[in-house]
Amino acid sequence: MKANGTQALKESLRRGDALPEVWIRFPRQLGDVIFALPFLGSLQREWNAAAAELGVTLKWVAVGHAIGAAVFSEAAESVIAESVIETGGVGKPDPWMLLRRWRKDRPVAVINLSQSVRLILAAWMARVPIRGGIADNNLSLLYTHPFKYRDLPIHIVQRYQPLLEKLTGLTDIRWLPITPDLLGGKGALPLLRRAGWDGRPYVVLAFGTRGEEKRWFPEHENWPGLSQLLMDQGFATVLLGSPDEKPLASELAALAPGTIDLTGQTTIPEACAVQYHAYGCVGVDTGLSHCSAGAGRPTVTLMNMSLEHLIQPQGPFSVAVRGPAMGLGEGERPGNPRGGGAHRITPLRAANILHALALEARGEQVGPPSTSAGV
């Protein structure tokens, strides 16, 4: 039976046969990185305490593709001291770059939260003492602490629980709030002000996604309609997205004059910080919705083909919604024929759900219906 990861960590640190570094290879997609943060926080609390008993401070290093590493590019040193973007062929990591470094300065642990065979092969070749991670590729022998990840009928966050238990003995994963103190992004509010924000409470609209089946059709009606509704209620609205979503953002902003468009103008940590300071977020199933939920903000995620029980954003004030699967009225506007219901969620419904979540976040409750309301 393999030793508990915490025990193996302390034994290796006592022997001094490895540097007090823990490398974690994060997934490629932003939402998947956010799903891994509760695991990271739970692991850090346990291992940092174990190392401290020996008078040692662990250095945590993030490694991954551009997004997986960029999330931590401005992080506090106590959280992620170094962020390494893998280099190599197009779309492929370069394990030899890591192997050269690890053979010279071997870390105490490498945790692989992706399905990269090359990365764990490099860790095995460097004889890293603790090697934990996804072993669905039939390479369990390369790991000291493997776990199954793919195709499980549970939420992605929960899939890390078996690995956490092997590494620490803990049986539950705790939420890790995504704050500017954690991930950085201190330039977010100055960027907002330069874009025209006057200090009013603002709502982030996370409209963009590469998956057409996830979008909120008809987009040129729904997003400007929601933005205008919120502005009429006294809020500012902010469009956030990646650089390749700028053309659509410009069209949506033009249809609701006064909308602040920051699409493609933020780093990932700045985007997370914009979410953290927001009144809330309405978005499709995209990475920014996960950032908002992870920041603890009221978040309404409009689900289309995505399955809530597997990938809905996780946070204390986050709700995933979809519309009915059938038409409900004469003259109903056509939606996305490939959609799964998001096209039948109206801007008014999205706004109302957001406000209900905001009340809950403030510890308030929705008032009782008036006596004149119909029964």
Side-chain angles (χ1 to χ4, degrees):
M1 180 177 177
K2 294 288 195 309
N4 174 283
T6 302
Q7 296 170 348
L9 176 82
K10 296 172 77 171
E11 291 170 3
S12 183
L13 293 177
R14 285 193 189 99
R15 290 193 303 266
D17 59 3
L19 294 178
E21 294 183 354
V22 180
W23 287 61
I24 300 188
R25 205 284 190 177
F26 286 90
R28 175 184 293 230
Q29 300 300 327
L30 178 58
D32 291 333
V33 177
I34 302 303
F35 285 152
L37 291 184
F39 165 82
L40 171 66
S42 300
L43 180 64
Q44 285 185 328
R45 283 192 295 270
E46 188 74 7
W47 277 14
N48 283 341
E53 292 177 8
L54 304 176
V56 175
T57 299
L58 291 178
K59 175 184 177 181
W60 296 81
V61 182
V63 61
H65 288 279
I67 290 179
V71 171
F72 304 101
S73 60
E74 303 173 33
E77 186 173 347
S78 60
V79 179
I80 295 293
E82 185 179 352
S83 182
V84 178
I85 297 178
E86 295 168 327
T87 57
V90 177
K92 293 291 186 182
D94 179 7
W96 313 121
M97 176 267 292
L98 297 174
L99 178 59
R100 288 190 294 271
R101 175 167 173 173
W102 290 344
R103 276 186 165 168
K104 180 181 179 182
D105 297 305
R106 182 172 60 177
V108 70
V110 170
I111 311 299
N112 184 22
L113 303 184
S114 76
Q115 298 181 59
S116 169
V117 175
R118 298 181 177 197
L119 180 102
I120 198 57
L121 178 61
W124 178 79
M125 293 176 69
R127 294 298 185 262
V128 174
I130 302 172
R131 303 181 302 276
I134 297 173
D136 293 308
N137 41 28
N138 297 317
L139 293 176
S140 296
L141 292 177
L142 298 180
Y143 290 95
T144 59
H145 297 80
F147 81 111
K148 181 175 175 57
Y149 175 86
R150 293 181 59 186
D151 302 325
L152 298 177
I154 56 176
H155 195 280
I156 289 176
V157 170
Q158 295 174 295
R159 297 180 190 182
Y160 293 118
Q161 187 275 330
L163 178 60
L164 181 67
E165 186 170 0
K166 288 184 176 184
L167 294 175
T168 67
L170 299 176
T171 58
D172 64 333
I173 293 176
R174 300 295 178 89
W175 177 56
L176 179 67
I178 302 175
T179 67
D181 289 337
L182 174 72
L183 291 184
K186 300 291 175 59
L189 293 184
L191 184 63
L192 262 175
R193 292 189 183 97
R194 291 195 297 270
W197 178 54
D198 59 7
R200 284 179 293 163
Y202 63 88
V203 176
V204 170
L205 306 182
F207 66 94
T209 173
R210 292 185 179 90
E212 185 175 0
E213 72 281 358
K214 297 181 179 181
R215 292 160 68 173
W216 191 22
F217 292 103
E219 292 175 304
H220 290 78
E221 293 181 28
N222 285 334
W223 292 114
L226 176 59
S227 184
Q228 190 61 59
L229 173 62
L230 291 168
M231 287 191 289
D232 291 345
Q233 294 173 346
F235 295 90
T237 56
V238 179
L239 295 173
L240 273 185
S242 61
D244 58 355
E245 293 157 355
K246 291 178 69 172
L248 177 57
S250 297
E251 296 171 5
L252 299 179
L255 292 170
T259 302
I260 298 171
D261 182 10
L262 287 184
T263 305
Q265 301 179 49
T266 65
T267 64
I268 293 179
E270 285 172 344
C272 291
V274 169
Q275 300 275 41
Y276 175 79
H277 292 291
Y279 172 85
C281 169
V282 177
V284 292
D285 174 25
T286 188
L288 290 172
S289 296
H290 298 289
C291 293
S292 175
R297 305 313 304 145
T299 305
V300 180
T301 305
L302 311 173
M303 307 299 285
N304 220 9
M305 298 302 290
S306 303
L307 299 176
E308 290 93 326
H309 71 289
L310 299 179
I311 59 172
Q312 67 178 333
Q314 298 290 289
F317 306 108
S318 176
V319 168
V321 298
R322 66 173 68 240
M326 60 184 178
L328 298 179
E330 292 294 329
E332 180 184 23
R333 62 188 182 188
N336 174 18
R338 293 179 293 269
H343 59 282
R344 290 197 172 101
I345 300 171
T346 65
L348 178 60
R349 177 173 293 186
N352 284 342
I353 297 174
L354 180 68
H355 295 322
L357 291 172
L359 284 173
E360 182 186 355
R362 295 197 300 267
E364 303 176 28
Q365 58 182 322
V366 178
S370 66
T371 55
S372 60
V375 177

